[in-house]
Amino acid sequence: MDHAANAWELFESIPEMVVVVGGGDVILYANKHCNAIVGWEPAELVGRPLGVILPDRPNAEHAGHGTALHRAGHEVPVEIALSPLSGDQGATVATVRDATERIRTSELLSAAESRLEVLDDRDRIARDLHDSVIQRLFAAGLHLQASADRPDSKARVSAVVDEIDEAIREIRGVIFTLHRPGHIDSGLEAALRASIDEAARMLGHRPTLRLGGILITVSGELGSELVAVLREAMMNVAKHASASKTEVSLDVGTDTVTLVISDDGVGLTGAKSDDTGGLGLRNIEERAVRLGGESQFLPGAPRGMQLRWIVPRRT
């Protein structure tokens, strides 16, 4: 290799591990960064087979993820790029970068995202409880206090008991939206059907469920969002609609996923979700926007309400 000296000098300046491999996958050259990644001195590697440090040799000339073998026996996650050495037929340059820090950073980011999701759920719980349940219980306490020693106290206490019962139902509704379906790990269809089963007990009737498209093509992230939206919507129907019939359909299209939930209840009374379903519908809207989609709250025919939740399938 006439130009080998110049190439070796160039490779020494590269801030990653570089090895040049000849015929038979024998190492012809290794730069000084080999010691930091695989624990070998460059001179010790020359003449050895590439498998000593890269047991699973990449076979394509592009960057890829792999594993390097440290001299001490442990594996090191790496990113590998291969390219032919110009002017030397059969020789290949392998550039190897330690990916340990990148993987650690990715894991930390994933853990941080999970913590943010938990905090977001906690914030939603606090808002739900404060806006509905706590205020209802506080009002019930005031009624009880005002009812003391009044001739109509029996009727007043009965009304307060009704308020407390309603608060209990709302608490159960909040728990329903937060509870993770037991079948979520078995696939989207199983999780949807489990949520329908749970909603039936809360609604007093069993919603119908129609599924269209290939559900297994829906990502796990989007599947979790669909289940969460279904549960939010079911709680909203139970709390506000006074419905006797609820229909749910999910269509997985080429580009979009559409979830439609219809009921025959009291319908929209103020056009805005803030006025009809409170935080439940607001949460549904926010989930759609976060995924690049939209939610529509439409009057039902001949009565009731229809929710259309449409998001890109790529999510």
Side-chain angles (χ1 to χ4, degrees):
M1 290 184 285
D2 297 336
H3 64 291
N6 291 334
W8 297 172
E9 183 178 350
L10 173 64
F11 293 152
E12 286 297 326
S13 66
I14 295 176
E16 280 107 23
M17 168 179 159
V18 177
V19 295
V20 177
V21 184
D25 275 355
V26 174
I27 298 175
L28 305 177
Y29 164 84
N31 74 351
K32 60 186 178 183
H33 296 291
C34 291
N35 182 268
I37 296 180
V38 293
W40 290 85
E41 293 296 334
E44 295 176 306
L45 286 174
V46 174
R48 292 179 182 270
L50 181 64
V52 170
I53 55 174
L54 295 178
D56 299 318
R57 185 189 192 278
N59 54 19
E61 296 183 357
H62 59 76
H65 302 294
T67 301
L69 186 62
H70 195 277
R71 189 173 189 173
H74 62 270
E75 295 183 340
V76 180
V78 294
E79 295 173 345
I80 307 168
L82 297 179
S83 60
L85 183 62
S86 177
D88 291 285
Q89 188 173 4
T92 301
V93 179
T95 305
V96 183
R97 175 181 299 175
D98 189 340
T100 303
E101 192 60 35
R102 179 188 62 76
I103 292 174
R104 183 181 295 115
T105 301
S106 177
E107 291 173 346
L108 289 173
L109 286 173
S110 178
E113 289 176 356
S114 296
R115 287 195 296 271
L116 285 174
E117 288 177 2
V118 170
L119 290 174
D120 182 61
D121 275 342
R122 287 178 178 174
D123 180 61
R124 186 176 66 82
I125 295 169
R127 286 184 284 123
D128 276 352
L129 292 177
H130 180 271
D131 288 354
S132 58
V133 179
I134 291 178
Q135 290 182 12
R136 188 182 294 277
L137 290 174
F138 180 72
L142 291 179
H143 279 295
L144 280 176
Q145 190 176 37
S147 297
D149 301 323
R150 293 178 63 102
D152 59 345
S153 60
K154 183 177 180 179
R156 285 176 171 267
V157 170
S158 178
V160 171
V161 170
D162 290 341
E163 287 292 318
I164 292 175
D165 286 342
E166 180 62 26
I168 290 172
R169 282 192 291 271
E170 291 192 12
I171 291 173
R172 286 175 176 166
V174 172
I175 293 172
F176 170 75
T177 61
L178 294 174
H179 176 65
R180 189 172 186 262
H183 298 77
I184 189 71
D185 294 325
S186 301
L188 177 57
E189 180 175 352
L192 292 171
R193 294 193 183 280
S195 295
I196 290 292
D197 290 340
E198 293 181 31
R201 291 190 289 271
M202 184 172 58
L203 293 169
H205 64 271
R206 182 176 181 80
T208 61
L209 176 64
R210 186 189 66 79
L211 302 173
I214 305 176
L215 269 65
I216 60 173
T217 62
V218 176
S219 69
E221 178 188 355
L222 179 53
S224 296
E225 291 288 342
L226 284 165
V227 173
V229 169
L230 173 61
R231 296 167 76 83
E232 289 271 16
M234 291 295 98
M235 187 179 76
N236 187 71
V237 172
K239 288 171 62 177
H240 303 288
S242 300
S244 60
K245 180 180 179 181
T246 308
E247 298 177 342
V248 179
S249 69
L250 174 65
D251 286 298
V252 179
T254 304
D255 301 314
T256 60
V257 174
T258 304
L259 177 67
V260 179
I261 300 170
S262 305
D263 67 73
D264 65 350
V266 298
L268 291 168
T269 58
K272 292 184 179 180
S273 62
D274 291 18
D275 301 327
T276 57
L279 288 167
L281 298 190
R282 194 182 312 158
N283 290 332
I284 291 172
E285 289 177 327
E286 290 172 355
R287 288 181 186 276
V289 171
R290 187 168 66 247
L291 297 176
E294 63 173 343
S295 55
Q296 303 169 356
F297 303 96
L298 308 171
R303 62 193 299 260
M305 187 182 85
Q306 183 184 90
L307 161 65
R308 296 180 62 83
W309 196 79
I310 308 167
V311 296
R313 204 187 77 175
R314 67 176 183 275
T315 305

